[in-house]
PDB file of all heavy atoms in Angstrom:
ATOM      1  N   ARG A  10      -4.685  20.930  -8.183  1.00  0.00           N
ATOM      2  CA  ARG A  10      -5.776  21.751  -8.724  1.00  0.00           C
ATOM      3  C   ARG A  10      -6.804  22.027  -7.623  1.00  0.00           C
ATOM      4  O   ARG A  10      -7.496  21.126  -7.178  1.00  0.00           O
ATOM      5  CB  ARG A  10      -6.424  21.045  -9.908  1.00  0.00           C
ATOM      6  CG  ARG A  10      -5.459  20.811 -11.075  1.00  0.00           C
ATOM      7  CD  ARG A  10      -6.076  19.929 -12.138  1.00  0.00           C
ATOM      8  NE  ARG A  10      -6.361  18.591 -11.607  1.00  0.00           N
ATOM      9  CZ  ARG A  10      -6.972  17.628 -12.293  1.00  0.00           C
ATOM     10  NH1 ARG A  10      -7.377  17.854 -13.531  1.00  0.00           N
ATOM     11  NH2 ARG A  10      -7.179  16.450 -11.744  1.00  0.00           N
ATOM     12  N   ALA A  12     -10.057  24.284  -6.138  1.00  0.00           N
ATOM     13  CA  ALA A  12     -11.194  25.176  -6.388  1.00  0.00           C
ATOM     14  C   ALA A  12     -11.568  25.823  -5.059  1.00  0.00           C
ATOM     15  O   ALA A  12     -11.787  25.129  -4.065  1.00  0.00           O
ATOM     16  CB  ALA A  12     -12.379  24.402  -6.954  1.00  0.00           C
ATOM     17  N   VAL A  35      -9.321  26.615 -10.150  1.00  0.00           N
ATOM     18  CA  VAL A  35      -9.872  25.843 -11.256  1.00  0.00           C
ATOM     19  C   VAL A  35     -11.370  25.675 -11.025  1.00  0.00           C
ATOM     20  O   VAL A  35     -11.888  25.969  -9.945  1.00  0.00           O
ATOM     21  CB  VAL A  35      -9.194  24.452 -11.390  1.00  0.00           C
ATOM     22  CG1 VAL A  35      -7.695  24.608 -11.629  1.00  0.00           C
ATOM     23  CG2 VAL A  35      -9.473  23.589 -10.167  1.00  0.00           C
ATOM     24  N   SER A  36     -12.070  25.171 -12.028  1.00  0.00           N
ATOM     25  CA  SER A  36     -13.500  24.913 -11.891  1.00  0.00           C
ATOM     26  C   SER A  36     -13.725  23.735 -10.951  1.00  0.00           C
ATOM     27  O   SER A  36     -12.823  22.919 -10.711  1.00  0.00           O
ATOM     28  CB  SER A  36     -14.124  24.622 -13.248  1.00  0.00           C
ATOM     29  OG  SER A  36     -13.638  23.391 -13.752  1.00  0.00           O
ATOM     30  N   GLU A  37     -14.942  23.619 -10.440  1.00  0.00           N
ATOM     31  CA  GLU A  37     -15.285  22.507  -9.551  1.00  0.00           C
ATOM     32  C   GLU A  37     -15.037  21.162 -10.221  1.00  0.00           C
ATOM     33  O   GLU A  37     -14.536  20.225  -9.597  1.00  0.00           O
ATOM     34  CB  GLU A  37     -16.753  22.607  -9.127  1.00  0.00           C
ATOM     35  CG  GLU A  37     -17.091  23.843  -8.323  1.00  0.00           C
ATOM     36  CD  GLU A  37     -18.576  23.943  -8.048  1.00  0.00           C
ATOM     37  OE1 GLU A  37     -19.310  22.999  -8.419  1.00  0.00           O
ATOM     38  OE2 GLU A  37     -19.021  24.945  -7.459  1.00  0.00           O
ATOM     39  N   ASP A  38     -15.389  21.048 -11.485  1.00  0.00           N
ATOM     40  CA  ASP A  38     -15.278  19.774 -12.190  1.00  0.00           C
ATOM     41  C   ASP A  38     -13.825  19.344 -12.396  1.00  0.00           C
ATOM     42  O   ASP A  38     -13.542  18.141 -12.515  1.00  0.00           O
ATOM     43  CB  ASP A  38     -15.967  19.856 -13.549  1.00  0.00           C
ATOM     44  CG  ASP A  38     -17.472  20.026 -13.430  1.00  0.00           C
ATOM     45  OD1 ASP A  38     -18.025  19.648 -12.374  1.00  0.00           O
ATOM     46  OD2 ASP A  38     -18.093  20.547 -14.371  1.00  0.00           O
ATOM     47  N   ALA A  39     -12.914  20.312 -12.434  1.00  0.00           N
ATOM     48  CA  ALA A  39     -11.508  19.996 -12.678  1.00  0.00           C
ATOM     49  C   ALA A  39     -10.694  19.881 -11.398  1.00  0.00           C
ATOM     50  O   ALA A  39      -9.501  19.557 -11.448  1.00  0.00           O
ATOM     51  CB  ALA A  39     -10.889  21.067 -13.575  1.00  0.00           C
ATOM     52  N   ALA A  40     -11.295  20.121 -10.246  1.00  0.00           N
ATOM     53  CA  ALA A  40     -10.550  20.241  -8.991  1.00  0.00           C
ATOM     54  C   ALA A  40     -10.171  18.886  -8.401  1.00  0.00           C
ATOM     55  O   ALA A  40     -10.928  17.919  -8.460  1.00  0.00           O
ATOM     56  CB  ALA A  40     -11.373  21.033  -7.981  1.00  0.00           C
ATOM     57  N   ASP A  41      -8.971  18.848  -7.797  1.00  0.00           N
ATOM     58  CA  ASP A  41      -8.551  17.710  -6.966  1.00  0.00           C
ATOM     59  C   ASP A  41      -9.102  17.844  -5.557  1.00  0.00           C
ATOM     60  O   ASP A  41      -9.230  16.850  -4.831  1.00  0.00           O
ATOM     61  CB  ASP A  41      -7.020  17.645  -6.867  1.00  0.00           C
ATOM     62  CG  ASP A  41      -6.353  17.443  -8.203  1.00  0.00           C
ATOM     63  OD1 ASP A  41      -6.879  16.658  -9.016  1.00  0.00           O
ATOM     64  OD2 ASP A  41      -5.304  18.071  -8.439  1.00  0.00           O
ATOM     65  N   ILE A  43     -11.638  20.772  -2.933  1.00  0.00           N
ATOM     66  CA  ILE A  43     -12.400  22.005  -2.750  1.00  0.00           C
ATOM     67  C   ILE A  43     -11.973  22.628  -1.423  1.00  0.00           C
ATOM     68  O   ILE A  43     -11.994  21.955  -0.385  1.00  0.00           O
ATOM     69  CB  ILE A  43     -13.916  21.745  -2.717  1.00  0.00           C
ATOM     70  CG1 ILE A  43     -14.367  20.965  -3.955  1.00  0.00           C
ATOM     71  CG2 ILE A  43     -14.678  23.055  -2.572  1.00  0.00           C
ATOM     72  CD1 ILE A  43     -14.165  21.679  -5.257  1.00  0.00           C
ATOM     73  N   HIS A  58     -23.443  19.630  -1.727  1.00  0.00           N
ATOM     74  CA  HIS A  58     -23.243  19.841  -3.165  1.00  0.00           C
ATOM     75  C   HIS A  58     -22.323  18.783  -3.769  1.00  0.00           C
ATOM     76  O   HIS A  58     -22.534  18.340  -4.916  1.00  0.00           O
ATOM     77  CB  HIS A  58     -22.662  21.233  -3.398  1.00  0.00           C
ATOM     78  CG  HIS A  58     -22.451  21.574  -4.834  1.00  0.00           C
ATOM     79  ND1 HIS A  58     -23.502  21.802  -5.713  1.00  0.00           N
ATOM     80  CD2 HIS A  58     -21.310  21.704  -5.576  1.00  0.00           C
ATOM     81  CE1 HIS A  58     -23.015  22.068  -6.915  1.00  0.00           C
ATOM     82  NE2 HIS A  58     -21.694  22.008  -6.865  1.00  0.00           N
ATOM     83  N   PHE A  59     -21.307  18.357  -3.010  1.00  0.00           N
ATOM     84  CA  PHE A  59     -20.319  17.423  -3.547  1.00  0.00           C
ATOM     85  C   PHE A  59     -20.521  15.992  -3.035  1.00  0.00           C
ATOM     86  O   PHE A  59     -19.625  15.156  -3.159  1.00  0.00           O
ATOM     87  CB  PHE A  59     -18.897  17.902  -3.208  1.00  0.00           C
ATOM     88  CG  PHE A  59     -18.486  19.111  -4.003  1.00  0.00           C
ATOM     89  CD1 PHE A  59     -18.638  20.377  -3.471  1.00  0.00           C
ATOM     90  CD2 PHE A  59     -17.980  18.981  -5.280  1.00  0.00           C
ATOM     91  CE1 PHE A  59     -18.275  21.502  -4.194  1.00  0.00           C
ATOM     92  CE2 PHE A  59     -17.616  20.093  -6.015  1.00  0.00           C
ATOM     93  CZ  PHE A  59     -17.761  21.360  -5.473  1.00  0.00           C
ATOM     94  N   LYS A  62     -19.435  12.675  -5.047  1.00  0.00           N
ATOM     95  CA  LYS A  62     -18.611  13.054  -6.191  1.00  0.00           C
ATOM     96  C   LYS A  62     -17.134  12.710  -6.002  1.00  0.00           C
ATOM     97  O   LYS A  62     -16.336  12.865  -6.920  1.00  0.00           O
ATOM     98  CB  LYS A  62     -18.772  14.553  -6.482  1.00  0.00           C
ATOM     99  CG  LYS A  62     -20.177  14.914  -6.948  1.00  0.00           C
ATOM    100  CD  LYS A  62     -20.299  16.377  -7.323  1.00  0.00           C
ATOM    101  CE  LYS A  62     -21.710  16.696  -7.805  1.00  0.00           C
ATOM    102  NZ  LYS A  62     -21.876  18.128  -8.167  1.00  0.00           N
ATOM    103  N   VAL A  64     -14.804  14.163  -4.369  1.00  0.00           N
ATOM    104  CA  VAL A  64     -13.861  15.281  -4.240  1.00  0.00           C
ATOM    105  C   VAL A  64     -13.784  15.678  -2.765  1.00  0.00           C
ATOM    106  O   VAL A  64     -14.802  16.024  -2.169  1.00  0.00           O
ATOM    107  CB  VAL A  64     -14.300  16.493  -5.078  1.00  0.00           C
ATOM    108  CG1 VAL A  64     -13.291  17.632  -4.957  1.00  0.00           C
ATOM    109  CG2 VAL A  64     -14.482  16.100  -6.528  1.00  0.00           C
TER     110      VAL A  64
END
Side-chain angles (χ1 to χ4, degrees):
R10 298 171 297 176
V35 300
S36 68
E37 297 175 4
D38 293 337
D41 298 320
I43 306 297
H58 182 70
F59 288 95
K62 294 184 179 179
V64 181

